Amino acid sequence: KSRGKRHLACFRAGSPRHSPQGQGFPPFRGKVGSLEGSFKVKEWDKDKEEGKLDFERNKTRKPFGIVNGIVTAFTLLSAFVMGAFLIFLFPKTVERIGANARKRIGAYFIRGIMTTIILSIAVMVAAFTVIGLPAALILFFALIAGWYVAGLLARILIGQYLYLLIARNRRTSVVKKSHYIKILIIGILAFFVLGFVPFVGWGVKTFLTFVALGLLIEQKLHNYRAIEK
């Protein structure tokens, strides 16, 4: 709270009328050195030309704080609604994906990366031709939709992992269909918390999304083979 000669001298240089000879220093708001806020001279020694300042930092206002809160709440709510819709509409698919994720997570991660790379290249190549432009748009929106669904599945995967981690303490490792809503909520909150962890949080979220995308492609291939048979 108290600052010495350097900051006070900096203020006097900018405001000559505030001198230690007779007039004193009235309270003021501004910037002194690296500090910005409200200042009041508490003590001043004319001979040593140094003193103490009472300092109160300006309260920083965040004009977009409310907007950010609304956007965050909407994002969390929409993830819950769409995730619940996915669980209720395709319960067996979600259950199968959750079970397969524990077997070959590395293979699904590589498959998710390869799918993203191949589709991205296909979109860029098709976009350079007039005939292929509609196909490029279809592939682009398919990639965006795939990533969105993979993001929902990634939340379910991490929610399932944390749920089973807690469930083992209760001497059970069985995931029932009725538990997937709880798993989804846990996953959404986990993803939200990971967003505050620099680098590591982003890496975990990206890794799980690639794994979920690989699992989604595996499930589509499984359904395609089942139709052929």
Side-chain angles (χ1 to χ4, degrees), residues 4-15:
K5 180 178 179 181
R6 182 172 62 87
H7 293 294
L8 195 55
C10 177
F11 167 66
R12 288 210 321 273
S15 303

Side-chain angles (χ1 to χ4, degrees), residues 4 7 13 42 66 72 83 100 104 121 127 131 133 136 149 168 171 203 224 229:
H7 293 294
K42 188 177 181 181
I66 297 176
T72 301
N100 291 339
R104 296 183 301 159
I121 293 173
I131 299 175
L133 188 58
V149 175
R168 285 194 184 99
R171 298 181 181 180
Y224 180 74
K229 293 179 180 180

